[in-house]
Amino acid sequence: MQDPMAAIRITFFQECDEQMTELTSGLTSMEAGTADHEVVNAVFRAVHSIKGGAGIFSLEQLVRFAHVFESSLDKVRSGELFVSPDILAVFFRAADTLEDIINAAKESKIIREDKVDEAIKSFDFIENNTKKINSDKEEVFINNKDNKIWKIKFTPYSSLYEKANESAFLLREINRLGDVDIDIDLSELPKFHDIDPESSYLSWTIILRSSCSKKDIFDIFEFVEDDCILEVNEENQKNFKPGTVITGDNGFKFEFFGVSEPEFNPDIEENNSAKDNINKNIQDEKSEEKHDNSSLLKNRLEQNDFVKQEETNKTEIIKPVGTVIRVDLDRVDRMINLVGELVINEAMLSQRVLEAGLNRDLGISEALEELEHLTREIQDSVMAIRAQPVRSVFQRMPRLVRELEAMTGKRVHLKTEGEGTEVDKTIIERLTDPITHMIRNAVDHGIEAPDERIAAGKPPEGTICLMAVHRSGRIVLEVTDDGAGINRAYVRQKAIDKGLISPDAQLTDEEVENLIFLPGFSTSEMISDISGRGVGMDVVRQSVQELGGRISILSSPGKGSKFTLSLPLTLAVLDGMVVSTHGHTLIIPLGAIIETLKPKSKDIFVLDKNLNMLSLRGGYVPIVDVAYTLGYSVHSIETSKGVALLVESESGARVVLLVDAIHGQRQVVIKSLESNYRAVPGISAATVMGDGRVALIVDVDFIVKNISCGINTVGVFEKTSGHSEKAA
Amino acid sequence: MTTVLIVDDSRAMRDMLQHSLALAGFFVLQAEDGLNGLEVLGTTKPDVIITDINMPNMDGFGFIEAVRRDEVCRATPVLVLTTEVDKEKKNRARAVGATGWIVKPFDPVKLVDAIRRVAI
């Protein structure tokens, strides 16, 4: 059986993530001045819940920090503290630290204490007049070592019963402390017809023989101390030596142990100094209490038995139905797969009906249309389950910008738009890196230092706008900055120096800007601490293209630049071009296709025994016969007879794919080959066509890579006009 | 079997209580906030209610007040579960009719102790 605590721990960290999201979005709206009381409450609750959960798992560092954070937020909540921008900045940084601690705790680690201390210190400025947090620990009653006789007088008020307390339970609990004699005082009881059933008339006198402390007795009455008169007095003392056995009337029996270890659960609420105090108290207690907590121990043992015995009882669990349910991603994925099958089956059915040439009057085509409509709707709804707003990614960015500001000394304001734009979870998870990199790039290379900005007549604070929007079945992300823009002359020179373009290459401004995406363009000068980490824009482009996306840049010198990222909404379906070659149907991902063309024989040049080049608008692109490359045919088709598709790989290299025919464009459901068969070089996945046949999806990247080995990509890049945007 | 209703907005906390209480032989019901708690009370009558204070929609104070106003449930013991040791909250909870309280983090023994002091 899985350890239930481990499962709860996982839940806790999931919840921490949710609470962090709540916290940051709350703080953001406080910053924007749109926060009402409920937002402040939610922010408080977020930190409070994290602290509460952390207590369960004894994550002391987290508890300690969350406690300080929470106290400040509580002041805001109660109106004691006015939220100034300075204070918000402290809160934002605290949220960052909190996240760090949570992330460390996830891996059962802690972050450096000095970092926490520093973060806690930053709260000092909020709480200048902080009163010393006194230990809330109640007075520790120091016990004598031996059995005592306690006389307890207990007179409940009616308010005790109003709060649903019950004297009988309390008396029973006292009974558990030791040997008791209880006398009831009925003197106040009125005549029967005068009795008010909700009034309190009874009181009790209890003689308790126990080694318990006064505190143990008060603990029992803790809930009712304001709703009763309680007198506890020690009658007299008898000394018991360790080893003495006492037997009570009720069969209660215990032996005094020589030494027993007191149990101590440190109250995590305390701050450090308080804790030290308590620890000292405990030390005292330990020495004082060595002999007399045996009965407590006994009680605990009894209870453990009780717990164990009940453990075997089967318990049922009823969970309330909430408005949000959590579903295992696997289940959703399974459903998406099934719906994929449904779509394929529907297409097959349509095709069969068409082939059968059934009479139109039968109404079958209408019914089929309806079915098709429903199937699409189911598919969309299922995809919507897995769709998530990009908010989770966007929310990480303000922190990044704050860190970058601190590192560069630049001032940047981050604006986000369209956080609610939804995209498939599988895509979301892979969006963070490219966006992070684009923002790093914008702060590092785009936005100028404040004095430069002032000199250029701009406000000292730069603005970066991160925007998401749905556009024709894709999600488009834009990162716009109002910085210096791209220095085209510099980029061009760099590309020439790196041998990426020839010195006499004629490039449009746009083409020059897009040179930064070329592999090998990032130079050591470009790799600063911030945008660097050894990752160039080519890596960003590659990761975007792996998702079937495109990235491009548009820049205006002195005014800023705009990165545009366009991605499919899901990885479960793909827009593909259906082609056939040598009797096989293949799918070529639409994202990779730049254009289709019919090559003329005069444009084809034979370079090597198996390598033909196509002259395309003055440049040369290698021609790849798909059937030959995939091993369908040992002979190449006559180059001039086929249809050609100009494709671009993730690395930006281009080839012309030669096929027999193009059948049109359609959306296909992606079926993994790896999980059903095995990885096949040159094939990325498969799909099932309407006629029930399997069509393989061509891995354009693989083909380009294998063909273009040793081919200078310069020629490919340089002369073929058109860039990423063309296919988007 | 003694039935305990847990009202807490944190699933981790509910699961934790659920786990401890189920082991101790209690039958456990759950609710996510005060309003949800009242909904559950509309259909079942637990022997003990354990509620958090800071919750969305209806907080612990509002919930306790509502329970004490309810003809059927007003004698049901309500234990307040909170990390806050500060006296003011405790007093406020007591003022609106809380039967007792459990200070988080709790150990299962303390939890069962608190319940035994008010019910079973």
Side-chain angles (χ1 to χ4, degrees):
Chain A
M1 201 181 101
Q2 204 201 352
D3 177 13
M5 286 309 284
I8 296 172
R9 193 183 155 95
I10 291 167
T11 309
F12 165 66
F13 282 116
Q14 277 173 359
E15 243 164 25
C16 277
D17 290 346
E18 287 164 23
Q19 303 291 4
M20 282 311 297
T21 309
E22 185 88 358
L23 173 63
T24 9
S25 75
L27 287 178
T28 310
S29 64
M30 279 161 82
E31 190 182 32
T34 53
D36 57 9
H37 193 62
E38 189 38 50
V39 171
V40 179
N41 265 334
V43 166
F44 170 80
R45 269 203 309 273
V47 179
H48 180 74
S49 299
I50 291 173
K51 186 182 92 172
I56 303 178
F57 300 101
S58 310
L59 304 170
E60 298 210 16
Q61 191 179 48
L62 187 49
V63 173
R64 182 161 75 98
F65 186 70
H67 179 68
V68 177
F69 195 178
E70 180 195 10
S71 319
S72 280
L73 288 170
D74 200 20
K75 290 213 170 75
V76 175
R77 199 167 66 136
S78 62
E80 261 179 79
L81 185 69
F82 176 74
V83 184
S84 66
D86 288 345
I87 286 178
L88 260 179
V90 173
F91 286 169
F92 271 118
R93 278 200 300 277
D96 296 346
T97 310
L98 194 61
E99 194 171 5
D100 289 342
I101 301 177
I102 290 169
N103 287 337
K106 264 181 209 168
E107 287 155 25
S108 306
K109 289 182 188 142
I110 54 171
I111 67 169
R112 290 204 349 243
E113 279 295 330
D114 54 327
K115 271 188 130 181
V116 181
D117 290 338
E118 194 185 311
I120 287 177
K121 217 169 272 166
S122 65
F123 280 99
D124 286 352
F125 129 90
I126 292 181
E127 319 215 358
N128 274 335
N129 52 348
T130 325
K131 53 175 169 43
K132 272 264 175 280
I133 304 168
N134 285 319
S135 160
D136 253 309
K137 204 75 186 162
E138 279 159 39
E139 184 194 342
V140 178
F141 291 81
I142 310 272
N143 303 320
N144 282 320
K145 291 168 189 147
D146 304 306
N147 214 14
K148 290 173 289 253
I149 295 176
W150 297 100
K151 185 177 180 185
I152 305 159
K153 182 107 173 62
F154 172 50
T155 313
Y157 302 142
S158 56
S159 64
L160 181 145
Y161 301 107
E162 278 165 20
K163 289 172 188 159
N165 271 300
E166 173 54 58
S167 301
F169 293 140
L170 299 169
L171 296 174
R172 183 188 62 191
E173 292 306 295
I174 292 180
N175 191 36
R176 293 175 62 211
L177 285 181
D179 181 17
V180 292
D181 286 319
I182 303 178
D183 278 325
I184 188 163
D185 180 358
L186 300 170
S187 58
E188 298 295 315
L189 197 65
K191 288 204 168 65
F192 185 73
H193 57 264
D194 293 334
I195 288 181
D196 169 2
E198 298 202 354
S199 239
S200 174
Y201 303 105
L202 307 176
S203 60
W204 291 269
T205 306
I206 304 131
I207 304 294
L208 167 68
R209 277 175 287 274
S210 164
S211 62
C212 70
S213 65
K214 198 168 186 172
K215 182 179 185 301
D216 293 334
I217 298 168
F218 274 112
D219 271 354
I220 287 177
F221 291 95
E222 188 192 3
F223 298 160
V224 299
E225 59 189 24
D226 291 347
D227 301 313
C228 67
I229 304 169
L230 184 67
E231 292 166 32
V232 179
N233 294 303
E234 200 176 336
E235 283 286 279
N236 59 357
Q237 263 178 289
K238 285 181 201 163
N239 290 328
F240 289 95
K241 296 274 178 325
T244 310
V245 179
I246 290 189
T247 314
D249 298 344
N250 57 356
F252 176 81
K253 180 180 168 183
F254 70 76
E255 184 180 345
F256 286 88
F257 298 111
V259 177
S260 60
E261 281 298 306
E263 240 176 77
F264 177 61
N265 297 304
D267 193 341
I268 300 195
E269 294 287 334
E270 320 299 336
N271 65 7
N272 260 358
S273 65
K275 202 174 219 166
D276 289 343
N277 267 334
I278 294 166
N279 281 335
K280 217 181 281 160
N281 282 341
I282 294 312
Q283 288 305 321
D284 295 343
E285 232 184 342
K286 255 191 188 163
S287 52
E288 300 269 352
E289 223 186 30
K290 267 179 190 162
H291 303 288
D292 67 352
N293 51 14
S294 45
S295 79
L296 269 178
L297 204 71
K298 188 109 185 165
N299 279 342
R300 282 180 202 275
L301 289 176
E302 267 173 22
Q303 260 163 354
N304 285 344
D305 282 346
F306 157 67
V307 167
K308 259 184 215 141
Q309 161 204 331
E310 299 282 353
E311 218 170 319
T312 48
N313 291 354
K314 208 182 158 208
T315 51
E316 290 166 62
I317 300 155
I318 296 179
K319 300 217 171 187
V321 181
T323 46
V324 175
I325 56 163
R326 280 162 208 261
V327 183
D328 208 15
L329 195 60
D330 288 348
R331 292 192 190 186
V332 178
D333 288 347
R334 187 175 147 70
M335 190 155 164
I336 284 174
N337 274 333
L338 284 173
V339 171
E341 302 276 350
L342 182 67
V343 170
I344 291 164
N345 263 290
E346 182 269 326
M348 281 165 68
L349 185 62
S350 301
Q351 182 131 358
R352 295 275 151 79
V353 169
L354 201 74
E355 283 165 8
L358 290 177
N359 192 339
R360 286 190 160 271
D361 298 341
L362 293 174
I364 286 179
S365 56
E366 283 87 354
L368 269 178
E369 244 167 57
E370 186 70 11
L371 179 66
E372 187 184 340
H373 182 71
L374 278 174
T375 321
R376 295 282 156 187
E377 207 153 297
I378 293 174
Q379 193 179 20
D380 287 351
S381 317
V382 172
M383 296 310 289
I385 295 178
R386 221 169 48 168
Q388 285 183 336
V390 291
R391 188 173 291 118
S392 58
V393 177
F394 277 24
Q395 261 166 354
R396 296 183 206 172
M397 299 308 147
R399 169 175 190 179
L400 175 73
V401 171
R402 284 197 295 281
E403 285 173 355
L404 294 174
E405 278 182 302
M407 282 164 82
T408 57
K410 293 175 183 178
R411 288 177 55 201
V412 182
H413 174 66
L414 180 72
K415 266 194 343 197
T416 52
E417 270 175 51
E419 296 107 318
T421 313
E422 289 189 334
V423 63
D424 196 87
K425 188 176 163 57
T426 48
I427 301 259
I428 287 228
E429 284 161 358
R430 295 159 78 177
L431 273 181
T432 314
D433 283 351
I435 294 183
T436 305
H437 201 85
M438 287 194 292
I439 289 191
R440 279 175 187 280
N441 194 73
V443 177
D444 198 23
H445 303 305
I447 305 287
E448 314 91 324
D451 45 339
E452 280 174 51
R453 289 185 62 89
I454 292 167
K458 295 182 187 179
E461 184 180 61
T463 303
I464 293 177
C465 181
L466 176 60
M467 191 200 70
V469 67
H470 277 161
R471 207 173 277 159
S472 58
R474 293 172 80 84
I475 182 168
V476 176
L477 294 155
E478 285 181 3
V479 177
T480 318
D481 68 67
D482 66 348
I486 287 188
N487 185 339
R488 292 184 195 132
Y490 174 81
V491 167
R492 191 191 158 92
Q493 192 50 50
K494 208 85 237 174
I496 294 169
D497 293 351
K498 292 263 155 188
L500 297 170
I501 54 168
S502 57
D504 55 352
Q506 294 296 312
L507 299 179
T508 63
D509 289 349
E510 206 183 319
E511 283 170 330
V512 173
E513 282 158 11
N514 280 283
L515 287 173
I516 63 165
F517 294 116
L518 278 188
F521 179 81
S522 282
T523 67
S524 54
E525 287 155 74
M526 295 274 289
I527 300 170
S528 66
D529 242 12
I530 296 153
S531 50
R533 290 192 181 171
V535 180
M537 289 309 284
D538 60 316
V539 178
V540 176
R541 171 152 96 161
Q542 194 175 327
S543 63
V544 168
Q545 287 184 334
E546 270 167 26
L547 294 172
R550 295 266 154 179
I551 186 168
S552 64
I553 181 171
L554 199 68
S555 169
S556 161
K559 286 187 181 155
S561 30
K562 177 161 92 177
F563 283 92
T564 308
L565 227 167
S566 142
L567 290 165
L569 292 176
T570 172
L571 294 179
V573 292
L574 169 108
D575 281 314
M577 190 71 90
V578 184
V579 300
S580 65
T581 181
H582 212 79
H584 291 268
T585 307
L586 293 169
I587 309 287
I588 296 172
L590 210 56
I593 300 173
I594 293 166
E595 59 181 281
T596 57
L597 47 121
K598 187 97 183 133
K600 297 186 185 80
S601 42
K602 70 172 171 65
D603 293 332
I604 296 165
F605 299 87
V606 180
L607 202 67
D608 193 359
K609 54 182 190 306
N610 279 325
L611 189 57
N612 297 331
M613 298 297 277
L614 179 72
S615 160
L616 192 61
R617 288 186 281 273
Y620 296 94
V621 189
I623 299 176
V624 177
D625 180 346
V626 177
Y628 180 75
T629 308
L630 294 179
Y632 291 151
S633 148
V634 285
H635 305 290
S636 306
I637 30 172
E638 208 180 309
T639 319
S640 56
K641 279 199 177 147
V643 186
L645 301 113
L646 177 65
V647 294
E648 188 185 57
S649 77
E650 285 164 10
S651 59
R654 294 174 180 203
V655 299
V656 165
L657 297 181
L658 204 61
V659 296
D660 285 343
I662 293 176
H663 299 288
Q665 185 185 326
R666 64 174 291 173
Q667 206 176 52
V668 296
V669 178
I670 298 173
K671 296 275 164 196
S672 166
L673 267 187
E674 275 104 327
S675 56
N676 295 314
Y677 173 56
R678 61 182 171 82
V680 180
I683 301 298
S684 59
T687 189
V688 183
M689 303 299 288
D691 57 7
R693 288 164 67 185
V694 171
L696 300 177
I697 300 171
V698 177
D699 183 351
V700 171
D701 232 38
F702 177 87
I703 289 180
V704 172
K705 212 194 248 162
N706 275 282
I707 292 304
S708 61
C709 291
I711 294 174
N712 188 357
T713 50
V714 174
V716 180
F717 189 84
E718 186 192 332
K719 293 279 175 64
T720 53
S721 68
H723 276 280
S724 356
E725 305 74 45
K726 263 210 169 148
Chain B
M1 200 187 281
T2 309
T3 306
V4 182
L5 168 64
I6 304 166
V7 188
D8 197 311
D9 57 332
S10 154
R11 192 160 80 100
M13 191 52 77
R14 288 201 306 272
D15 284 355
M16 176 70 200
L17 284 163
Q18 166 93 49
H19 173 64
S20 309
L21 291 172
L23 274 183
F26 293 100
F27 177 68
V28 183
L29 297 167
Q30 296 191 7
E32 289 172 353
D33 55 42
L35 276 185
N36 187 207
L38 292 179
E39 281 164 25
V40 176
L41 287 178
T43 55
T44 34
K45 191 179 174 301
D47 299 288
V48 185
I49 301 167
I50 298 177
T51 179
D52 192 20
I53 286 187
N54 291 293
M55 293 182 291
N57 299 325
M58 181 190 273
D59 67 7
F61 302 126
F63 175 64
I64 296 168
E65 276 173 335
V67 169
R68 289 286 169 256
R69 276 197 305 269
D70 186 279
E71 276 305 310
V72 183
C73 299
R74 69 191 185 110
T76 307
V78 182
L79 294 174
V80 174
L81 179 70
T82 177
T83 48
E84 293 169 61
V85 284
D86 97 72
K87 282 265 184 280
E88 196 218 327
K89 288 244 165 53
K90 216 188 234 179
N91 288 338
R92 214 183 129 194
R94 206 197 306 235
V96 296
T99 312
W101 49 89
I102 301 159
V103 174
K104 291 187 270 188
F106 51 84
D107 64 46
V109 176
K110 256 161 61 185
L111 178 69
V112 174
D113 251 354
I115 294 177
R116 288 178 64 112
R117 246 179 261 166
V118 299
I120 315 181

